[in-house]
Amino acid sequence: MTFKKIIIVILISIALLSLSACTPEDADNPPESSAETEAVAEAELLVLLDNGATDFKIVRAEGARGFQLDSAVAVNNRMRTTLSRDFKIIDDWMNPNGPAVNTDHEILLFETNRPETAAALEDLDFEGYIIRVTDSKIVIVGASPAACSEAIFRFIDRLIPEYTKDGVTAFPVGLEVRGEFKPSDLDVYAALREGRNICADYNVVFKYSQKDDFDAAQGAATDGKFAYVIMKKNVSGVETDRVIKVDMETWSAVLESDEMPLDHANDMTYDPVKKQLVVVNMLDNLVSIIDPETLTLTEQKPLSYGTWGVGYIDGAGQYAFLAYGSPSGLVITDGDFNPIRSSALADTTGYVGQGMDADAEYAYVPLSPQSGTKDNIIQVFEIKTGKYIGKITLNTLMESESMFHVGDDFFLHFNNQGSKIATLEFYEKFE
């Protein structure tokens, strides 16, 4: 047998259909969603590996970053372990003026320029993934990073073992596996408690350039309709600030404040009960209160403790602070900033502390890379107990500053040649 395409016309055996035939009682092969289909009547086999020989390449998009780049490397690592063979990773770039590129025998990951990828994406009209075998390609696409990750788990952990026998891994041409998987199907908090590796992919949706010497982005918050970001100016060691109001439907700046004495303005949150923005100055133990309608400073209130991060606890009328002094750590306060309880923070070695966010159950603390690290992390704590449950990794060197959320949608604010706001999508890292 060679690793060229082998044509065998046979009826599919019971073993070949075992994945599609699984039932709820199948302990070894639990059912996927109702949208999943695996149907092949006759087999024209595409041989991936023949006793250690293969000419398949793993193809990712040109310029792939973050999730897509990491996944290509992880797929190769796992296939090397599973099949004892290293697969070459290439991007999908082709020189239009150069010689023709041999694109036979490729594993296409997610968003490549190959027509087989385009066809699969066109058929992906649901929240989930498709794994498709053509006469020369294995195509894997997903509607989200979480779905893509689920797809490659499925391909490596189930399909490859299923279709490997006597040193040959061969898939029926026309084999198609569809699985529903929504981002919300991933229980991030349970996964963190179990020690699983949770990551976030990001997509920048708003940019505000450096302007009028306000060149450093700091705190950020939202009232659900508008986002608010702070830009800082430093003149001879004196820090002053400007607040920018951003329409989250159009992602455009609609109002800019006058210059205000908010010092470092390391973080900000929105109080929906008092309808006010709360800024931690980080200097002189001050919080500043800003009217979100007019972007005017209405009050500065001294605290008995220092703080560099703040989040509003949904539905509780309380705040979560990152604090130093007494009390310190993760400090929960009432609506007037009076401490109720405190707990220790997690180790931050290799990272720089930034702002935070909070919802009804959890506090989220983004940290940016320091020397020796090349990613951002988001530490997650339980509000009620203060317990640290784990971290979410974000593969970027941009400096995160603060987080905020609208419902289950999370956003990260970066200081990167001005202000950048990015959406976050969480997924379990394939390893």
Side-chain angles (χ1 to χ4, degrees), residues 350-383:
Y351 296 92
V352 178
Q354 300 292 350
M356 69 175 300
D357 186 26
D359 55 27
E361 297 183 65
Y362 300 97
Y364 309 87
V365 181
L367 297 102
S368 59
Q370 205 172 32
S371 58
T373 52
K374 296 182 179 181
D375 54 19
N376 285 251
I377 62 172
I378 301 167
Q379 295 180 331
V380 183
F381 300 81
E382 291 178 342
I383 289 290

Side-chain angles (χ1 to χ4, degrees), residues 132-152:
R132 176 179 291 171
V133 178
T134 73
D135 59 354
S136 64
K137 305 284 194 296
I138 298 169
V139 187
I140 301 175
V141 297
S144 65
C148 288
S149 188
E150 188 72 9
I152 53 181

Side-chain angles (χ1 to χ4, degrees), residues 192 196-198 351 377-380 388-393:
L192 289 175
R196 288 147 62 190
N197 195 342
I198 301 301
Y351 296 92
I377 62 172
I378 301 167
Q379 295 180 331
V380 183
Y388 171 65
I389 66 168
K391 68 178 181 180
I392 299 167
T393 302

Side-chain angles (χ1 to χ4, degrees), residues 57-74:
K57 299 179 181 67
I58 297 171
V59 181
R60 57 172 174 80
E62 180 189 5
R65 59 158 182 81
F67 164 73
Q68 295 195 23
L69 183 62
D70 289 346
S71 295
V73 174

Side-chain angles (χ1 to χ4, degrees), residues 2 13 16 18 56 63 103 290 303 311 346 363 386 409:
T2 67
S13 66
L16 205 57
S18 62
F56 270 80
T103 61
I290 295 174
L303 304 178
D409 297 325

Side-chain angles (χ1 to χ4, degrees), residues 31-45:
E32 301 293 322
S33 68
S34 58
E36 178 186 320
T37 61
E38 297 177 29
V40 182
E42 293 182 341
E44 175 186 327
L45 296 184

